Amino acid sequence: MQTETPLTTRLRAKIADTGPISVAEFMTLCLLDPVDGYYPTRDPLGSDGDFITAPEISQMFGECLGLWVIQSWLDMGAPEQFNLVELGPGRGVMMADMLRAMALRPECLSACNIVLIEASAALQAVQAKTLGRSGAAVEWADRIEAVNDDPCLIIGNEYLDCLPIRQFICTRASDQQNVPATWSERRVGADENGLRFETDQQPISAALQQTLPATHPDPQLGDLLEICPAAAQLIDHLKTRFMDAAGRALFIDYGPARTEFGDTLQALKRHEKVGTFAAPGDSDLTARVDFAALAAQARAAGLSVSGPHSQSNFLRALGIEARAVSLLRGNPDAKPKIMRQLHRLLDPNEMGALFKALCISSADLPAPLGLPDGV
Ligand code: SAH
C-alpha cells in the first residue's frame, strides 16, 4: 500500500511534468529533501526510531574503533595534527565512544581535529549535544572536499548505504560472440495508482556502460545491476587527498564481498521492512554497498585496499571480546546485556557476516589494525 506523503504528492507532480526520475534522484529526495526528506526531519535512530546501528547497540563498537584510530595515527608517523573525519555521524555516539578510548593516548587525542560531515541539520544538533557532553571541540564541514589537507583518518559507519544508487536492467544478454550485454536504466515513474518502477526503452550510452562494474556470471536478460556514483566520487577524492598526505578511510557497512545482481533497495520503518513506495520521505531507504566495486576503483587509483572483512573478524581482531570481559568485571550484573550486545555485533546470523569493513589507505602505510590483508 502507498501512503500519500507530502513527498509523494511532489514526486507525482514532478514526474507528470518532466517524466520518470532515476532511482538516485528518488533516493536523494526521499532521504535529504530539506522540507520533506527523511533525515532532515527527524532523529531516526535507536529503539524508538526506525533502525538501530552498531554504535547504538554497544559502546564497545566505538571504543574498538578508537583503538583503531590510535594505531592508524601511529602508522601515519604520529603527526602533530590530523583530521579525524566522520561521515554521517548519526547521533554522535560512535565519535563519543572513540574519543573516550583515544584518551588512552592523550597525544593522539590532542593532535586530532574532529570534523563531522552530516547532511541533516536535525542530526547535527543531536551530535552537538552528544559531543558537547564529552567536552571535545568539534566542527562540521559540508563535504569532504572542504576538509583541510592535513593527514586524515576518515570513518563512516552505515554511511555508504544511504548514498543514492542508480539501477540498470539487462535488456539483452551477452552472446557467444562476446557482444556485451545491453542495459537500460530503471526509473521511478507514476500512474493513477501511485509511484512505480519503469525501465527506459533506450539502452544506456556506451560511455556509461564502460563504467559498470565487472560481474560474474555474465548478465542474463532481466538481471539488475546497481552503481553508486556518489561513492565512486568519494573514492576519486581519496585518490587526490591520499596522494598529497597520509590517510585512511574506513567504511563499515552491509553488502556482499563481490558484485551481485539484484534489487537491494530497502525501506525500513519502525524496524520493519516496508515497500519502497510505501511512505517516501517517511521511511529509511538504503542499498547494499558494492565493496568489490569500491575496492577495484581504489586499487586502480593506486591506493592500498584492506578487506572487505566481516564485521565479526574485524571487531574480534580489535579486541572486542577482551573489552567485554573488562566491562563485565566492572559490572557483573550487566552480563546478560553485554553478551546480547556482543551477539548482535558478532553473530553471523545477526550483523557479524553481512556487515563488512573495508579500508582504503595512502599507498605507503602498513596494513591497518584488524584488517590484515587485501582480497
Ligand atoms: N553513523 C551513524 C548513523 C548512520 S545513519 C551510526 O552508525 O549510528 C546515516 C547517517 O548519514 C545519518 O547521520 C544521515 O543523516 C547521514 N547522511 C546520509 N546521507 C548523507 C550525505 N549525503 N551526506 C552527509 N551525511 C549523510
Side-chain angles (χ1 to χ4, degrees):
M1 221 198 53
Q2 297 191 11
T3 312
E4 187 78 17
T5 60
L7 192 59
T8 318
T9 314
R10 283 174 51 200
L11 283 165
R12 280 155 68 109
K14 182 180 170 65
I15 292 165
D17 215 24
T18 54
I21 58 174
S22 69
V23 173
E25 195 177 347
F26 172 73
M27 263 184 103
T28 304
L29 288 167
C30 286
L31 291 179
L32 297 179
D33 182 81
V35 181
D36 296 317
Y38 181 72
Y39 284 114
T41 54
R42 76 204 68 213
D43 169 1
L45 285 139
S47 46
D48 299 337
D50 291 317
F51 61 94
I52 190 155
T53 56
E56 298 277 340
I57 289 172
S58 169
Q59 68 183 82
M60 295 182 282
F61 183 84
E63 289 169 346
C64 286
L65 291 183
L67 301 185
W68 185 90
V69 169
I70 294 177
Q71 184 58 50
S72 289
W73 170 72
L74 291 169
D75 292 343
M76 294 194 299
E80 272 172 29
Q81 274 192 38
F82 74 103
N83 294 309
L84 177 58
V85 180
E86 186 175 353
L87 303 171
R91 295 206 280 210
V93 172
M94 184 175 95
M95 182 59 82
D97 293 338
M98 289 199 305
L99 294 173
R100 209 173 43 253
M102 285 164 63
L104 288 170
R105 278 306 280 262
E107 320 87 283
C108 175
L109 198 54
S110 55
C112 95
N113 171 40
I114 303 163
V115 186
L116 305 179
I117 299 188
E118 171 55 64
S120 153
L123 283 173
Q124 276 189 18
V126 182
Q127 290 153 19
K129 210 163 150 199
T130 309
L131 290 160
R133 282 195 290 269
S134 74
V138 177
E139 58 188 73
W140 283 264
D142 285 344
R143 33 211 283 280
I144 184 71
E145 289 81 357
V147 176
N148 75 43
D149 51 14
D150 285 346
C152 198
L153 296 175
I154 301 169
I155 305 190
N157 184 63
E158 291 213 46
Y159 169 75
L160 296 177
D161 67 358
C162 49
L163 297 182
I165 54 156
R166 290 174 75 177
Q167 294 187 324
F168 305 101
I169 307 271
C170 178
T171 42
R172 197 192 64 211
S174 60
D175 61 17
Q176 264 70 45
Q177 280 77 49
N178 272 342
V179 175
T182 38
W183 298 89
S184 294
E185 183 144 15
R186 189 187 198 213
R187 293 180 192 271
V188 176
D191 62 16
E192 62 287 357
N193 299 319
L195 299 172
R196 57 158 207 205
F197 286 112
E198 345 188 315
T199 307
D200 282 354
Q201 300 292 321
Q202 294 300 317
I204 57 173
S205 68
L208 178 55
Q209 172 122 5
Q210 291 277 320
T211 67
L212 297 183
T215 51
H216 183 79
D218 284 339
Q220 298 300 306
L221 193 67
D223 277 340
L224 190 151
L225 187 64
E226 299 176 334
I227 61 167
C228 184
Q233 203 182 326
L234 177 58
I235 307 291
D236 242 13
H237 170 75
L238 296 182
K239 175 183 170 186
T240 329
R241 176 174 288 275
F242 294 164
M243 200 104 76
D244 297 342
R248 271 193 182 139
L250 174 66
F251 301 107
I252 303 160
D253 227 304
Y254 80 111
R258 291 184 201 295
T259 302
E260 287 177 355
F261 296 126
D263 174 9
T264 77
L265 258 191
Q266 172 174 288
L268 273 189
K269 198 164 163 55
R270 303 247 165 269
H271 304 269
E272 300 281 343
K273 284 189 191 180
V274 297
T276 308
F277 302 133
D282 204 23
S283 53
D284 183 38
L285 202 52
T286 57
R288 289 186 178 208
V289 172
D290 186 350
F291 286 106
L294 298 179
Q297 187 192 344
R299 271 199 201 94
L303 298 167
S304 294
V305 175
S306 305
H309 286 294
S310 67
Q311 173 166 298
S312 62
N313 283 355
F314 179 52
L315 293 178
R316 282 201 168 98
L318 294 180
I320 195 166
E321 287 156 324
R323 179 60 185 139
V325 169
S326 98
L327 283 175
L328 284 173
R329 220 177 281 130
N331 186 2
D333 293 346
K335 185 167 183 183
K337 184 172 139 211
I338 291 173
M339 295 315 288
R340 219 170 30 244
Q341 293 174 346
L342 261 190
H343 182 79
R344 280 193 78 176
L345 295 176
L346 299 182
D347 191 87
N349 295 316
E350 300 268 351
M351 298 177 82
L354 179 59
F355 278 74
K356 301 192 175 61
L358 175 76
C359 181
I360 295 173
S361 309
S362 46
D364 46 351
L365 294 182
L369 185 68
L371 293 168
D373 48 349
V375 245

